[in-house]
Amino acid sequence: QQYEQELDVMQRIAHVEVLQHLPEAEKQAIAKLVTPVYVKPHHVICREGDQGDYFYMIAQGEAEVIKGRKVITVLGAGEIFGEMSLLTGEPRSATVIARTPMELYQLNEENFGQVLTRSPHLACALSRTLARRLRLSVDC
Ligand code: CMP
């Protein structure tokens, strides 16, 4: 039964961009560690200034990323968030609020760190995501 659950999680997170091109074994290792989270619209998933605790992958739905009072971007299925504070140890850089019902898969800080040190592919993919985000925020 556990095997079936892992297969299901694998399917749910199959479209997450940072997991594309990851060797199957690395995807399986991640699928074993994530927990599904279902949130309603307007739910505050993380709050700017709080300490970071989880990393999130979006399987379904959309969320607004808000800095101060400004919506800086909208994240959707296949995207990730919560990586910045876990990587730096600094507080959450933005507030993330669901704008539709969402299906998320979360990894706690410890597991996120472990997965990253074991998966060079994931580390590369996250660097790319971060570089893009940084570039976009420099542009505006
Ligand atoms: P973290 O700082 O842990 O918590 C808030 C999250 O919002 C952050 O990680 C990123 O995942 C996300 N975020 C912050 N700034 C941007 C941005 N410019 N573009 C996309 N996502 C962002």
Side-chain angles (χ1 to χ4, degrees):
Q1 200 196 342
Q2 174 148 17
Y3 177 68
E4 277 175 23
Q5 269 172 21
E6 279 163 28
L7 264 185
D8 188 44
V9 172
M10 293 270 284
Q11 281 175 5
R12 304 306 299 159
I13 62 178
H15 298 103
V16 173
E17 204 181 314
V18 294
L19 303 183
Q20 301 301 309
H21 314 301
L22 235 67
E24 270 322 282
E26 289 178 21
K27 271 192 226 176
Q28 273 168 16
I30 293 168
K32 278 188 183 157
L33 295 172
V34 295
T35 314
V37 186
Y38 302 91
V39 303
K40 294 183 176 154
H42 310 299
H43 179 80
V44 177
I45 306 157
C46 57
R47 201 179 288 275
E48 186 172 1
D50 281 0
Q51 202 189 332
D53 41 11
Y54 292 98
F55 164 75
Y56 299 91
M57 298 182 266
I58 307 176
Q60 270 199 85
E62 287 185 349
E64 291 178 348
V65 178
I66 301 165
K67 271 188 179 233
R69 291 174 159 221
K70 203 171 153 204
V71 178
I72 56 168
T73 190
V74 174
L75 301 176
E79 296 188 279
I80 55 111
F81 62 92
E83 77 291 359
M84 291 183 184
S85 59
L86 294 194
L87 289 169
T88 64
E90 287 163 51
R92 294 288 195 198
S93 61
T95 296
V96 182
I97 303 184
R99 70 174 204 184
T100 65
M102 296 186 83
E103 176 186 355
L104 303 165
Y105 287 84
Q106 69 176 23
L107 257 185
N108 70 26
E109 185 170 14
E110 191 190 337
N111 288 333
F112 177 71
Q114 272 188 18
V115 163
L116 261 192
T117 52
R118 286 179 195 162
S119 173
H121 294 91
L122 182 62
C124 277
L126 269 180
S127 311
R128 271 195 294 277
T129 301
L130 277 169
R132 285 199 198 106
R133 288 181 176 174
L134 175 66
R135 213 185 151 140
L136 286 174
S137 54
V138 170
D139 285 348
C140 70

